[in-house]
Amino acid sequence: MPNLNIIKSDGRVQNFSIIKDVITLGRGQDNDVVLPDHSVSRNHANLTKTKKGYLIADLGSFNGTKVNGKSVQNTLLKDKDEIKIGVIKLTFLAKEKPAFSPTETVVLARESELEKGTTIVKASTEAGHQLDSQELLMSMGIQRTLVGKDFPKPSKEEVQTTEAETDILSLERMNKVLFVLYEISRQLHLIHDFNELLKKIMDLIFMVIDADYGFVILTGDKGKEDLAPVVVKYKGDKIKGKKQIKASRTIINRVVNDKVALLTTNAMDDSRLDQAMSLISQKIRSAVCVPLWRKDKIIGVIQLDSIRLAHQFTENDLELLKAIGCQVAMVIEQASLNEKIREEEQMRSRLERFHSPQVIEMILKGSQETKENIMEPKDQTVTILFTDIVGFTHLSEQMPPREINMLLNQFFSQMTDIIFKYDGTLDKYIGDCLMAVFGAPLEKKGDSERAIKAALEMRKKLAEMMKITDMEKKFNIRIGINTGKVVAGNIGSPNRMDYTVIGDPVNVASRLESIALPNQILIGEETYRDVKDKFKIKKVGPKKVKGKSAAINVYEVLA
């Protein structure tokens, strides 16, 4: 059966087997695949089995759905297609496979825990996150020759020679540390893909630590029982012809459970690893494994193995890999932050088409709940404004299409700027008509008042425009405004969704605009109650409008 391999924004890995004809993906707990991240809409997308294969469809999500880097409304998926939902990445696997290709190479062997007394180096959360550059370089420093009752005292010349050689080795080691840490930081700004970053980091590790192979394993939602290899590297990158790697759960579980970094030397002869059968089958002579942190939580491990009897890892190798593990933690955190920044930039770009800068800032700086639910349909009290060009049909008959287009663009540009000035939302252009909403997506005090102020300024701006317009191109406008409770949010089909408002108050606003005289501003009863003491308003009286069985009270805004 097909699978979805999911890497979440915090680095956790999840594998989901597709056993239903239709599965839903989103932030809401009622989805088949729950993706708990603010960049994901409550009901974001669905996956449907068709005769031609599996079809993924976006359900009008705010951040959209991407397949292989391209935004899609719906598309048929192919094996190993990469899907991006918010900041979460998924891979569609048409055939039954545990996860990414590394899992075809790395097999996690089930074994009992290590016996007590195994040589380990503690790597607590505090130590891992507070290791500064000076401390790291000191840990990579000179190791003096042991001298005691069982060792003869070396001569002065031998001591000087040994110290000089040790000093040179120490400097070389520290240079390697500095090089690797610098490169990891540099790659963070060059590579934005999480998996690619991990691959590059593994390449850097092999440049400074001599290993036969190594891998990165990330934990899933179920912790140690849900492990997924995401990066595998061989010495010299000669992967072809290599057998499967049987990674020891004994080592990995000890690192994850006890939050320690583990070094084993000459593992074949180490009695403390008698029950780790994968070590024997792999002929591992030495192994080093360190945790990967995200804040105070372990999300995976980096492990290096050596199968050469003459080459065994040292504590210096362990210290260096620990340091790199700490750096990877920062990389993971920064990569997540960078992704969120890019998502915010995309969100801002989309919002700028419909909202004023002030409203955009309110959305982006609002609470987490506000950001998550901003486009989802909900009941709101809003004020709706319609404005329409009087006699547009006749005007368009007298002018070439290109001139009509230029005229509309100039008119809409000026009117939209006014709407944004008063924190309104541009709902849509309908031919020569413009629809705006005040109070959605965010309600503010004085929405009705700002709608009236916008209407008055629109009328004033039109008068200024007409003074410099040729006689045959002059026109007037009508404006209708109404207030009431509507449903505001993304509304439409999976193929196309728009943010809009629906409800009877919208219909009334449209009808008020249609019965207005040239350059007249008509408002409904509820709008009048909100602003009657703030503007000069004249009662027009009850009017019968299309679609309403009873007449409605109409008022005209004079100034």
Side-chain angles (χ1 to χ4, degrees):
M1 69 184 69
N3 275 260
L4 285 176
N5 178 250
I6 306 162
I7 295 185
K8 299 181 180 178
S9 59
D10 60 359
R12 290 179 299 158
V13 176
Q14 176 186 354
N15 293 311
F16 181 87
S17 297
I18 304 172
I19 59 176
K20 295 166 58 178
D21 289 345
V22 179
I23 65 167
T24 57
L25 304 93
R27 180 169 42 81
Q29 294 298 317
D30 56 339
N31 289 285
D32 299 301
V33 180
V34 179
L35 305 173
D37 191 275
H38 77 276
S39 63
V40 180
S41 295
R42 192 178 303 278
N43 299 107
H44 199 108
N46 64 21
L47 197 60
T48 305
K49 185 178 182 180
T50 68
K51 292 181 179 179
K52 294 183 178 180
Y54 280 88
L55 180 79
I56 189 167
D58 187 84
L59 300 178
S61 65
F62 186 77
N63 283 320
T65 300
K66 292 183 178 179
V67 175
N68 298 325
K70 295 182 179 179
S71 296
V72 299
Q73 288 295 333
N74 58 72
T75 188
L76 284 170
L77 293 175
K78 302 184 297 296
D79 186 38
K80 296 183 181 179
D81 272 351
E82 294 186 357
I83 307 162
K84 189 173 180 184
I85 294 180
V87 299
I88 296 177
K89 297 177 182 178
L90 309 89
T91 298
F92 175 74
L93 301 168
K95 299 178 181 179
E96 187 171 6
K97 296 177 183 177
F100 288 98
S101 56
T103 60
E104 301 170 15
T105 306
V106 179
V107 177
L108 294 167
R110 292 188 175 278
E111 301 154 342
S112 61
E113 296 292 329
L114 282 169
E115 296 179 4
K116 294 182 179 179
T118 302
T119 302
I120 58 177
V121 178
K122 296 284 183 179
S124 65
T125 307
E126 293 77 19
H129 287 275
Q130 293 177 1
L131 188 67
D132 61 22
S133 301
Q134 184 177 0
E135 184 181 352
L136 172 61
L137 293 175
M138 288 177 65
S139 71
M140 296 288 104
I142 302 168
Q143 293 187 351
R144 301 298 180 186
T145 304
L146 292 173
V147 178
K149 61 181 181 180
D150 296 327
F151 297 89
K153 186 175 182 179
S155 66
K156 184 176 180 180
E157 290 77 13
E158 289 175 331
V159 170
Q160 289 176 343
T161 302
T162 301
E163 288 183 351
E165 290 174 350
T166 307
D167 286 344
I168 292 172
L169 290 174
S170 239
L171 287 172
E172 289 177 352
R173 193 70 174 180
M174 286 188 283
N175 282 338
K176 287 181 179 181
V177 174
L178 291 171
F179 169 76
V180 170
L181 297 185
Y182 166 75
E183 277 297 309
I184 289 175
S185 299
R186 192 173 72 89
Q187 293 301 326
L188 175 61
H189 300 288
L190 297 177
I191 303 174
H192 300 299
D193 182 83
F194 181 74
N195 267 24
E196 288 300 318
L197 271 172
L198 292 181
K199 290 177 184 177
K200 185 61 180 179
I201 289 168
M202 185 60 82
D203 290 340
L204 292 169
I205 290 172
F206 268 64
M207 291 176 67
V208 294
I209 300 179
D210 186 11
D212 290 304
Y213 56 83
F215 46 83
V216 176
I217 290 180
L218 298 181
T219 61
D221 291 326
K222 299 177 182 177
K224 67 178 184 179
E225 298 302 322
D226 190 10
L227 302 172
V230 292
V231 177
V232 178
K233 183 173 175 62
Y234 294 86
K235 184 180 177 68
D237 285 328
K238 296 178 181 179
I239 298 177
K240 289 185 178 180
K242 296 289 184 180
K243 296 180 180 179
Q244 282 186 333
I245 298 172
K246 291 185 178 179
S248 171
R249 279 189 180 269
T250 302
I251 293 178
I252 296 169
N253 287 347
R254 186 63 182 269
V255 171
V256 173
N257 292 342
D258 294 350
K259 300 182 178 180
V260 296
L262 176 64
L263 167 66
T264 71
T265 57
N266 197 14
M268 286 286 293
D269 302 325
D270 194 337
S271 62
R272 293 165 300 192
L273 298 174
D274 286 343
Q275 299 184 57
M277 297 305 297
S278 65
L279 297 179
I280 297 173
S281 65
Q282 294 291 127
K283 297 187 173 70
I284 294 173
R285 302 292 178 177
S286 186
V288 59
C289 186
V290 302
L292 292 177
W293 294 90
R294 181 179 172 88
K295 296 182 180 178
D296 59 349
K297 180 181 178 182
I298 290 179
I299 64 164
V301 300
I302 301 177
Q303 181 169 324
L304 302 179
D305 294 319
S306 172
I307 58 175
R308 287 166 285 161
L309 183 60
H311 175 71
Q312 298 192 2
F313 296 119
T314 66
E315 288 194 15
N316 269 345
D317 294 320
L318 180 63
E319 289 300 321
L320 179 53
L321 195 59
K322 276 174 59 182
I324 292 172
C326 295
Q327 190 80 348
V328 170
M330 290 185 284
V331 165
I332 292 171
E333 184 67 23
Q334 188 61 50
S336 177
L337 290 174
N338 288 347
E339 189 66 38
K340 291 184 190 307
I341 289 171
R342 287 193 291 274
E343 290 294 334
E344 183 173 305
E345 288 174 349
Q346 292 175 6
M347 182 187 289
R348 183 184 291 274
S349 177
R350 285 190 290 270
L351 290 173
E352 283 175 347
R353 296 171 54 198
F354 306 103
H355 308 294
S356 69
Q358 296 92 330
V359 171
I360 294 171
E361 288 303 314
M362 287 174 62
I363 294 171
L364 296 179
K365 292 181 179 180
S367 66
Q368 194 64 42
E369 186 67 21
T370 297
K371 291 179 184 178
E372 292 177 356
N373 301 326
I374 196 69
M375 293 300 181
E376 294 189 2
K378 52 184 174 290
D379 293 339
Q380 285 183 248
T381 298
V382 303
T383 298
I384 308 102
L385 180 152
F386 279 89
T387 183
D388 183 36
I389 295 177
V390 178
F392 179 75
T393 302
H394 175 74
L395 193 65
S396 60
E397 289 175 350
Q398 309 300 316
M399 297 172 59
R402 184 174 293 276
E403 289 188 25
I404 286 291
N405 178 265
M406 292 174 61
L407 185 69
L408 283 176
N409 286 342
Q410 183 185 16
F411 170 69
F412 284 144
S413 177
Q414 296 287 344
M415 300 302 110
T416 301
D417 287 345
I418 294 170
I419 290 166
F420 287 172
K421 177 181 175 180
Y422 291 97
D423 293 341
T425 295
L426 173 64
D427 188 293
K428 61 176 68 72
Y429 302 122
I430 313 165
D432 62 318
C433 177
L434 179 151
M435 175 182 169
V437 182
F438 295 79
L442 297 177
E443 292 185 46
K444 287 178 66 178
K445 185 178 180 181
D447 286 327
S448 299
E449 182 180 352
R450 285 181 289 102
I452 302 292
K453 287 181 178 179
L456 289 169
E457 188 164 332
M458 290 166 78
R459 187 167 64 181
K460 180 180 178 182
K461 174 59 70 173
L462 180 70
E464 293 174 0
M465 292 172 60
M466 293 302 101
K467 286 180 181 179
I468 56 174
T469 301
D470 295 338
M471 182 59 66
E472 64 275 12
K473 298 180 181 179
K474 290 183 184 293
F475 60 87
N476 297 309
I477 60 173
R478 298 183 296 255
I479 298 177
I481 299 173
N482 192 42
T483 302
K485 182 157 285 189
V486 300
V487 174
N490 274 334
I491 296 170
S493 72
N495 292 334
R496 178 177 174 82
M497 285 208 175
D498 290 313
Y499 184 83
T500 189
V501 294
I502 58 174
D504 186 61
V506 181
N507 299 330
V508 171
S510 176
R511 298 295 179 251
L512 288 172
E513 177 269 312
S514 66
I515 65 172
L517 299 174
N519 296 325
Q520 189 178 37
I521 301 172
L522 296 183
I523 64 175
E525 183 71 36
E526 191 167 339
T527 307
Y528 170 73
R529 286 199 299 265
D530 288 345
V531 301
K532 61 183 178 181
D533 298 325
K534 299 176 181 178
F535 300 95
K536 187 178 179 181
I537 299 174
K538 181 180 75 173
K539 184 175 182 179
V540 176
K543 290 282 186 178
K544 192 83 168 74
V545 296
K546 184 179 178 181
K548 299 291 289 184
S549 57
I552 61 173
N553 287 322
V554 179
Y555 303 83
E556 179 184 2
V557 178
L558 301 176

